[in-house]
């Protein structure tokens, strides 16, 4: 999920917009997706910074609507698609990544009258706050970084930018009493109002602020500059300490994080990071580079100070090893296992002899979402190289250069320890290619000793295998199981014929057999319903709402009274309703959601009933009065064709309408019964442990939402992705798991994840690791 930074200054003329444009250019050059929003509505023109060569801009304000047009359309009870309003700019030319800009508004004679006609307080009374929150959700789910250029001063519009929108406030000021005092006052006001935002507006616990001195004469007026820096440190020290490491003093930051006054760049709009680079410590580009690093690393000061240079292929072996190791350690402890799997996957091993390995280029689609995030971090550290493969039509990834492969000791050790697996995997991919060329005919599947070896490596290296490789092995296992079932069926049939010759005994045996089969069928139907619901939950979390609904339908085809499938499908329908502009279509899907919630209430246990009734109540409040809410027969419904815009993403439903900014007050939230989503990784042994734990938690008061087999679970059992306020419940879940034999279960609170719109109150994910299969 992305992060939203608001660039603010109490007074104009401090270089705020120029800083935002240059930081955006640097972030895009590093491969990040960036959206810039021009909210300086009285003085628009952010796009002008991208009009000098080599920069290129597609579109213009005369053709594209912007912020004022979005607000005007809302005031007139209409909606504009913000994606259709974007300008596309290429700071470094068309061969480099692009930035998207949402301008202040369409440059027509109506711009000023439309702006003057906007009554922001009345807009918020009409629900503009909830609408703006939905836009914010879409922006941070679509882009890595969203940079908002705020209006100066203390105004209603400024309050939107400094209170409602930001995760972090970047405040620019100059060396005078008015500017310094103004920034301190705005930060205090913003923090006070920020704390009053409704809980549903999921934000960090505190509004952090990065003060940045601008137009500062540090080099030419050393004595005066030193006095002012100390004044800045005394006045703003507490604001810096909110995010600085304890050992770093604000004075240290201020000596490096400032924008110098360079007269050359005082004329017109420009991008120093493009036109003169970032290597000269006395340049504007250099100061913007440090600020961009700090924002990219989410205010990790020490990491931002580290050098960001390529690992040279021409350096001596010991230097290459040192540079690669430094880059690897900068990734953090949590990256150790993903880095090993990814790097080993990008090496081609000779069948005989050592030391002749070569780099292998792989498609980005071969990796899962978690691995792709790790690849991006490793590319930023210059251990990997990501490029667009024209022939394949997608991104490819490979080790950055041969020197890393040859001289990085840690990588050499990884290769040696995994050599047997890597050689086998190359053989597996040869068989996989033959199977694909042979139209996936079963005669190309693995059999005998080859299949047994595949099972061994599947169990020990499942996470390293791509989706295609896992599918090929599982297909081979399924084909072998089918052959065995057919053999057993013939034997069972022969036995049945013999048994039926003894009438009374045969009848008793048949009845017993039939009862066992019925019991197995019910158990199988339940397990299939649980698995399909789990798959639906995973798809819904990836914004694949239609595919998720198809999985919920499959669950209900197996078990038409499975309450968890109805409840999750209802949430999916509610997401479509919230993403649909047409009121009739929205009502249709909302009514379907209410119907599913009522069926979940009908078939669920007491905990499920409580959750379903709360969801139904929330959904009904936004239905048109004429909508029919009569429950229908509990039969799986066909997968709908949503009318929502492409790429609509799941978010909490429904959202409350806030009071007008800046006087925002919290809205009470109905408490929910604890909900459990469970994932497991590994073989049938782990699956059995997970299913037993799933049923146990359901029997002691938790609402069961889904069980799924996932590739990304840890080895041990962990309770993750919950709000910090729910830590006590997480500890209770851990105690239950330990009482079942999962002795190494632990609660692992992940900082920042509770800000996701997918993490509701009393929401818990239990991950059963592969260690329990052994």
């Amino acid at each position: 999920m992305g992060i939203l930074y608001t660039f603010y200054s109490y007074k104009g003329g401090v270089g705020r917009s120029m800083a935002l444009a240059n930081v955006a250019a640097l972030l895009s050059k590093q491969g990040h997706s960036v959206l810039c929003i021009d909210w300086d509505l009285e003085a628009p023109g952010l796009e002008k910074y991208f009009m000098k060569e080599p920069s290129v801009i597609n579109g213009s304000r005369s053709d594209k609507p912007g912020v004022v047009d979005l607000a005007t359309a809302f005031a007139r009870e209409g909606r504009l698609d913000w994606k259709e309003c974007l300008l596309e700019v290429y700071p470094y030319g068309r061969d480099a990544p692009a930035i998207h800009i949402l301008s202040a508004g369409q440059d027509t004679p109506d711009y000023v009258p439309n702006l003057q006609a906007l009554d922001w307080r009345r807009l918020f009374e009409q629900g503009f706050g909830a609408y703006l929150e939905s836009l914010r959700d879409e922006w941070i789910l679509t882009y890595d970084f969203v940079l908002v250029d705020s209006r100066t001063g203390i105004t209603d519009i400024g309050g939107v930018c400094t209170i409602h929108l930001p995760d972090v406030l970047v405040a620019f000021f100059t060396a005078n009493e008015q500017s310094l005092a103004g920034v301190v006052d705005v930060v205090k006001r913003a923090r006070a109002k920020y704390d009053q935002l409704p809980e549903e507006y999921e934000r960090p616990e505190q509004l952090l602020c990065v003060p940045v001195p601008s137009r500062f004469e540090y080099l030419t007026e050393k004595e005066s500059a030193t006095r002012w820096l100390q004044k800045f440190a005394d006045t703003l020290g507490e604001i810096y300490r909110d995010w600085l490491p304890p050992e770093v003093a604000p004075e240290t930051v201020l000596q490096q994080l400032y924008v110098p006054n360079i007269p050359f760049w005082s004329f017109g709009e420009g991008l120093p990071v493009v036109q003169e680079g970032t290597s000269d410590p006395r340049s504007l580009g250099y100061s913007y580079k440090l600020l961009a690093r700090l924002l990219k690393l989410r205010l990790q000061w020490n990491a931002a100070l580290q050098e960001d240079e390529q690992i040279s292929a021409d350096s001596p072996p010991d230097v290459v090893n040192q540079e690669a190791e430094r880059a690897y350690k900068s990734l953090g402890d949590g990256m150790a296992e993903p880095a090993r799997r990814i790097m080993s996957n990008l090496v081609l091993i000779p069948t005989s002899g050592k030391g002749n390995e070569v780099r292998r280029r792989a498609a980005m689609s071969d990796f899962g979402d978690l691995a792709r995030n790790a690849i991006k971090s490793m590319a930023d550290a210059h251990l990997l190289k990501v490029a667009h493969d024209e022939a394949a039509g997608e991104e490819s990834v490979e080790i950055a250069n041969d020197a890393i492969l040859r001289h990085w000791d840690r990588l050499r050790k990884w290769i040696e320890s995994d050599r047997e697996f890597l050689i086998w995997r190359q053989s597996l991919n040869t068989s996989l290619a033959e199977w694909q060329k042979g139209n996936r005919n079963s005669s190309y599947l693995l059999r005998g000793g080859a299949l047994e070896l595949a099972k061994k490596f599947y169990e020990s290296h499942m996470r390293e295998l791509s989706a295609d490789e896992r599918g090929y092995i599982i297909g081979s296992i399924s084909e072998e199981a089918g052959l065995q079932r057919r053999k057993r069926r013939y034997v069972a049939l022969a036995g049945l014929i013999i048994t039926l010759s003894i009438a009374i005994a045969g009848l008793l045996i048949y009845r017993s057999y039939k009862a066992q089969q019925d019991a197995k069928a019910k158990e199988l139907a339940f397990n299939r319903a649980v698995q399909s619901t789990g798959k639906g939950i995973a798809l819904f979390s990836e914004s694949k709402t239609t595919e998720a609904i198809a999985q919920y339908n499959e669950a209900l085809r197996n078990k038409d009274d499975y309450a968890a499938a109805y409840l999750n499908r209802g949430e999916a329908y509610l997401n479509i309703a919230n993403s649909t502009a047409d009121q009739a279509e929205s009502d249709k899907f909302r009514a379907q959601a209410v119907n599913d919630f009522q069926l979940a209430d009908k078939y669920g246990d007491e905990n499920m009933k409580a959750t379903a009734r709360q969801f139904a109540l929330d959904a009904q409040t936004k239905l048109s009065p004429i909508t029919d809410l009569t429950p229908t027969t509990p039969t799986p419904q066909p997968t709908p064709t949503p009318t929502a815009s492409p790429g609509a993403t799941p978010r909490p439903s429904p959202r409350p309408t806030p009071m007008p900014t800046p006087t925002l007050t919290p809205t009470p939230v109905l408490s929910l019964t604890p909900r459990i989503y469970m994932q497991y990784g590994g073989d049938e042994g782990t699956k059995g442990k997970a299913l037993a734990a799933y049923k146990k938690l359901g029997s002691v008061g938790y609402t069961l939402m889904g069980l799924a087999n996932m590739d990304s679970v840890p080895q041990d059992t962990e309770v993750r992705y919950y709000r910090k306020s729910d830590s006590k419940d997480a500890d209770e879940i851990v105690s239950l798991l330990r009482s079942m034999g999962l002795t190494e279960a632990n609660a692992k609170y992940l900082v920042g994840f509770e800000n996701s719109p997918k993490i509701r109150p009393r929401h818990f994910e239990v991950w059963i690791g592969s260690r329990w299969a052994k």
Side-chain angles (χ1 to χ4, degrees):
M1 180 179 292
I3 185 169
L4 192 149
Y5 292 101
T6 288
F7 282 53
Y8 173 83
S9 62
Y10 181 72
K11 301 281 285 184
V14 302
R16 180 196 69 248
S17 300
M18 186 174 183
L20 184 149
N22 281 270
V23 167
L26 289 172
L27 291 174
S28 71
K29 185 181 181 182
Q30 295 170 13
H32 300 289
S33 55
V34 182
L35 171 65
C36 300
I37 303 177
D38 188 355
W39 216 289
D40 191 1
L41 305 183
E42 278 77 10
L46 183 62
E47 70 281 353
K48 296 183 184 297
Y49 286 94
F50 303 94
M51 291 183 173
K52 293 181 181 179
E53 293 185 352
S55 301
V56 179
I57 183 168
N58 284 347
S60 68
R61 282 187 59 211
S62 61
D63 303 323
K64 297 280 189 177
V67 173
V68 168
D69 305 289
L70 290 172
T72 300
F74 181 88
R76 296 171 181 172
E77 299 185 353
R79 294 288 190 278
L80 291 179
D81 184 355
W82 66 270
K83 297 184 184 69
E84 299 299 322
C85 303
L86 300 178
L87 303 177
E88 190 174 54
V89 299
Y90 299 84
Y92 292 88
R94 291 192 182 276
D95 293 334
I99 295 170
H100 287 157
I101 294 180
L102 179 61
S103 75
Q106 191 165 4
D107 189 10
T108 67
D110 294 330
Y111 177 80
V112 173
N114 285 342
L115 174 60
Q116 293 173 339
L118 289 175
D119 184 338
W120 294 95
R121 290 182 177 271
R122 185 174 181 181
L123 277 176
F124 273 83
E125 291 172 358
Q126 296 172 343
F128 186 72
Y131 170 62
L132 186 60
E133 185 68 9
S134 69
L135 291 179
R136 184 188 184 279
D137 285 344
E138 292 187 45
W139 293 336
I140 62 176
L141 286 169
T142 305
Y143 296 92
D144 297 328
F145 297 96
V146 181
L147 311 182
V148 176
D149 192 21
S150 170
R151 181 186 176 183
T152 59
I154 303 174
T155 63
D156 288 344
I157 302 175
V160 171
C161 299
T162 58
I163 303 168
H164 194 119
L165 288 177
D167 293 305
V168 177
L169 195 61
V170 184
F172 292 82
F173 61 97
T174 55
N176 62 66
E177 296 287 355
Q178 185 182 30
S179 182
L180 180 60
V183 163
V184 172
D185 181 55
V186 166
V187 171
K188 288 181 179 178
R189 289 170 180 266
R191 284 183 167 176
K193 296 298 182 182
Y194 185 87
D195 291 339
Q196 298 175 19
L197 289 175
E199 184 180 351
E200 290 74 22
Y201 290 10
E202 297 190 9
R203 302 286 194 276
E205 293 184 1
Q206 182 182 24
L207 177 63
L208 299 180
C209 178
V210 181
V212 182
S214 186
R215 309 253 187 237
F216 196 64
E217 292 284 0
Y218 188 66
L219 297 178
T220 58
E221 299 292 337
K222 191 85 172 183
E223 185 175 342
S224 296
T226 301
R227 288 199 303 271
W228 273 99
L229 284 179
Q230 188 58 53
K231 186 178 185 64
F232 295 159
D234 294 341
T235 306
L236 305 169
E238 292 304 316
I239 297 176
Y240 283 109
R241 289 189 185 95
D242 287 336
W243 51 269
L244 274 178
E247 71 275 8
V248 179
E251 293 88 338
T252 302
V253 177
L254 284 160
Q255 290 170 2
Q256 301 174 76
L257 186 65
Y258 66 89
V259 179
N261 183 34
I262 309 297
F264 176 81
W265 294 106
S266 300
F267 302 95
E269 295 85 0
L271 292 175
V273 299
V274 175
Q275 293 168 262
E276 69 176 9
T278 60
S279 59
D280 186 351
R282 299 167 296 179
S283 68
L284 274 178
Y286 188 87
S287 67
Y288 293 143
K289 179 175 69 171
L290 178 57
L291 178 59
R293 282 186 192 166
L294 184 64
L295 301 189
K296 181 184 77 170
L297 296 170
R298 305 199 176 200
L299 311 191
Q300 297 181 58
W301 175 255
N302 289 334
L305 291 180
Q306 294 179 359
E307 288 298 322
D308 190 21
E309 298 176 350
Q310 299 278 352
I311 299 174
S312 173
D314 300 325
S315 297
D318 59 332
V319 174
V320 171
N321 180 55
Q322 292 172 7
E323 291 177 346
E325 191 67 11
R326 178 190 59 77
Y328 168 79
K329 290 181 178 178
S330 72
L331 299 174
D333 294 337
M335 289 289 293
E337 191 59 29
R340 176 174 181 164
R341 294 199 301 268
I342 292 164
M343 296 294 279
S344 298
N345 189 28
L346 298 175
V347 177
L348 194 60
I349 308 293
T351 55
S352 61
K354 299 180 180 180
N356 296 320
E357 297 82 8
V358 296
R359 289 183 291 155
R360 171 181 173 268
R361 180 179 298 174
M364 189 68 79
S365 58
D366 289 345
F367 300 90
D369 290 340
L370 292 176
R372 291 175 197 172
N373 292 335
I375 287 171
K376 180 177 287 188
S377 298
M378 294 170 72
D380 287 344
H382 304 297
L383 291 170
L384 298 179
K385 180 169 63 177
V386 176
H388 185 74
D389 189 335
E390 294 291 341
E394 66 173 306
E395 285 187 326
S396 65
V397 58
E398 61 182 328
I399 296 173
N401 57 53
D402 285 327
I404 295 175
L405 174 60
R406 294 278 173 266
H407 307 310
W408 185 19
D409 292 343
R410 186 182 296 271
L411 178 56
R412 302 303 308 172
K413 290 178 182 178
W414 287 343
I415 293 171
E416 281 309 305
S417 62
D418 287 341
R419 181 173 292 276
E420 181 183 0
F421 164 71
L422 296 173
I423 292 175
W424 166 81
R425 187 180 191 182
Q426 291 166 191
S427 173
L428 174 72
N429 279 285
T430 301
S431 300
L432 172 60
E434 291 176 354
W435 177 61
Q436 292 172 334
K437 290 179 182 177
N439 296 319
R440 300 176 182 265
N441 189 289
S442 61
S443 62
Y444 291 96
L445 293 171
L446 301 171
R447 302 184 188 281
L451 180 55
E452 292 303 312
L453 187 60
K455 290 179 182 178
K456 168 191 168 185
F457 283 115
Y458 184 89
E459 292 175 1
S460 61
H461 291 77
M462 182 177 63
R463 295 184 184 180
E464 287 94 317
L465 297 173
S466 68
D468 284 346
E469 291 165 339
R470 292 195 301 269
Y472 181 56
I473 296 173
I474 291 171
S476 299
I477 294 172
S478 299
E479 178 66 15
E480 181 191 48
L483 291 173
Q484 294 299 322
R485 282 196 300 271
R486 287 192 286 273
K487 290 179 181 179
R488 288 195 298 269
R489 192 176 300 125
Y490 295 141
V491 173
L493 181 59
L496 181 60
I497 293 173
I498 295 172
T499 305
L500 287 175
S501 63
I502 306 172
I504 298 176
L507 181 60
L508 293 174
I509 292 174
Y510 172 75
R511 288 177 177 175
S512 175
Y513 171 79
K514 184 67 167 60
Q516 291 175 6
Q517 291 299 104
D518 289 346
K520 289 180 180 179
K522 289 180 180 179
E523 181 71 14
L524 181 61
F526 173 77
N527 290 341
R528 287 175 175 170
V530 170
Q531 291 280 23
S532 295
T533 302
K535 291 177 182 178
I537 292 167
L539 289 166
F540 186 67
S541 71
E542 297 172 3
S543 306
K544 299 177 180 178
T545 306
T546 303
E547 294 93 328
I549 292 175
Q551 288 295 329
Y552 301 144
N553 290 342
E554 179 65 23
L556 293 170
R557 275 191 284 272
N558 281 284
K559 184 172 174 57
D560 62 7
D561 61 350
Y562 188 46
Y566 283 118
L567 189 64
N568 281 284
R569 190 173 71 179
E571 284 198 271
Y573 283 141
L574 197 57
N575 178 64
I576 296 173
N578 290 338
S579 305
T580 303
D582 183 84
Q583 186 60 47
E585 284 295 306
S586 178
D587 280 349
K588 180 181 74 173
F589 287 113
R590 200 177 302 280
Q592 289 174 323
V594 171
N595 183 58
D596 273 358
F597 294 147
Q598 291 172 341
L599 290 170
D601 181 16
K602 177 179 179 181
Y603 293 115
D605 59 18
E606 289 306 313
N607 293 319
M608 180 70 76
K609 289 178 184 294
T611 300
R613 289 170 188 168
Q614 290 163 350
F615 283 10
L617 178 63
D618 288 344
Q620 285 172 339
T621 57
K622 289 200 174 181
L623 271 170
S624 297
I626 61 172
T627 306
D628 182 9
L629 296 180
T630 305
T632 59
T633 305
T635 355
Q637 301 179 23
T639 303
T641 304
T643 58
S645 59
T649 51
R651 55 185 181 267
S653 314
R655 292 187 174 279
T657 303
M659 297 296 290
T661 302
T663 311
L664 297 171
T665 56
T667 302
V669 183
L670 290 170
S671 63
L672 297 175
T673 56
R675 302 190 297 166
I676 297 291
Y677 291 82
M678 184 171 290
Q679 295 87 34
Y680 67 91
D683 61 4
E684 290 297 313
T686 310
K687 178 181 177 182
K689 284 279 187 179
L691 187 58
Y694 186 69
K695 292 178 179 178
K696 175 70 173 179
L697 291 170
S699 70
V700 296
Y702 292 92
T703 300
L704 305 180
M705 301 299 295
L707 172 70
N709 188 356
M710 303 287 283
D711 295 338
S712 55
V713 300
Q715 277 198 317
D716 295 323
T717 295
E718 295 176 354
V719 180
R720 292 185 175 182
Y721 305 122
Y722 56 89
R723 295 186 176 208
K724 195 168 186 179
S725 57
D726 294 332
S727 296
K728 183 177 179 181
D729 283 315
D731 291 336
E732 291 178 358
I733 295 171
V734 168
S735 296
L736 283 170
L737 293 172
R738 289 178 177 174
S739 71
M740 298 180 61
L742 304 177
T743 55
E744 297 188 28
N746 65 89
K748 185 172 184 179
Y749 174 73
L750 301 180
V751 177
F753 275 87
E754 70 173 17
N755 298 325
S756 167
K758 299 167 193 146
I759 308 301
R760 293 175 174 271
R762 312 300 298 282
H763 167 117
F764 304 90
E765 293 195 17
V766 179
W767 298 45
I768 307 294
S770 58
R771 182 186 298 275
W772 300 107
K774 301 172 182 178

